[in-house]
Amino acid sequence: MAVVKVKSNLVGDYAANTQPADPELVAGRPIVATGSVDNAASDNAGSMYHLADIPAYAILDSRTAFDVENWGFATVNIGTEDDATALTTVLKSAGNTVSPVAFGDANHGLPLWQVLGLAAEPASGVISLYAHGPADATGAGSMPFEIHYRAR
């Protein structure tokens, strides 16, 4: 067996001209966006609910969660304005809380724009997250949420 000495992606190797990781990875400041959104029983398919504006380079934390037990739609779709399911889509009956980010999953340490499947970081540097009504509401409801992320 070989004896090796390896650096994580958080440590730069200046001799090899490798820079340290992005600031969000090395020492990102934890931020929590805490909110709630309501829907009416009369809301129809195609309704959109603007949840928050997050820096595109932000790294989502596994504590990000949406409390959907009282949401007025049978399916929970959260994404961008143009892609209703970019962050998550799940039946409300699957559980009271939806957590779209899991520690150690394929999106671990990726900026929000990559997690959402965008080809590049938006020029504005900001991504607006939306909940979408995929069908007519089954009743009035609300969805409290916390979006935990790290940013510069």
Side-chain angles (χ1 to χ4, degrees):
M1 291 299 210
V3 174
V4 299
K5 185 175 180 182
V6 179
K7 296 179 181 184
S8 78
N9 66 330
L10 300 182
V11 181
D13 185 351
Y14 298 106
N17 201 26
T18 303
Q19 301 300 315
D22 290 334
E24 291 77 34
L25 292 172
V26 176
R29 183 170 53 97
I31 299 171
V32 181
T34 303
S36 184
V37 65
D38 298 322
N39 74 279
S42 59
D43 292 354
N44 291 330
S47 296
M48 294 191 323
Y49 307 87
H50 190 170
L51 303 177
D53 296 321
I54 307 294
Y57 56 79
I59 297 173
L60 291 182
D61 188 270
S62 58
R63 290 175 290 181
T64 296
F66 300 87
D67 181 0
V68 299
E69 64 184 310
N70 295 317
W71 187 229
F73 294 91
T75 302
V76 179
N77 286 344
I78 301 173
T80 63
E81 186 173 11
D82 300 326
D83 187 346
T85 61
L87 186 59
T88 190
T89 182
V90 66
L91 291 175
K92 183 172 92 170
S93 61
N96 291 341
T97 305
V98 173
S99 297
V101 181
F103 177 77
D105 70 3
N107 294 321
H108 179 85
L110 295 179
L112 178 59
W113 68 270
Q114 288 181 345
V115 170
L116 295 173
L118 301 177
E121 182 176 340
S124 69
V126 175
I127 293 175
S128 296
L129 294 178
Y130 288 83
H132 292 261
D136 294 348
T138 57
S142 65
M143 178 173 49
F145 59 89
E146 286 188 350
I147 303 170
H148 293 249
Y149 63 95
R150 289 182 300 284
R152 302 178 189 135

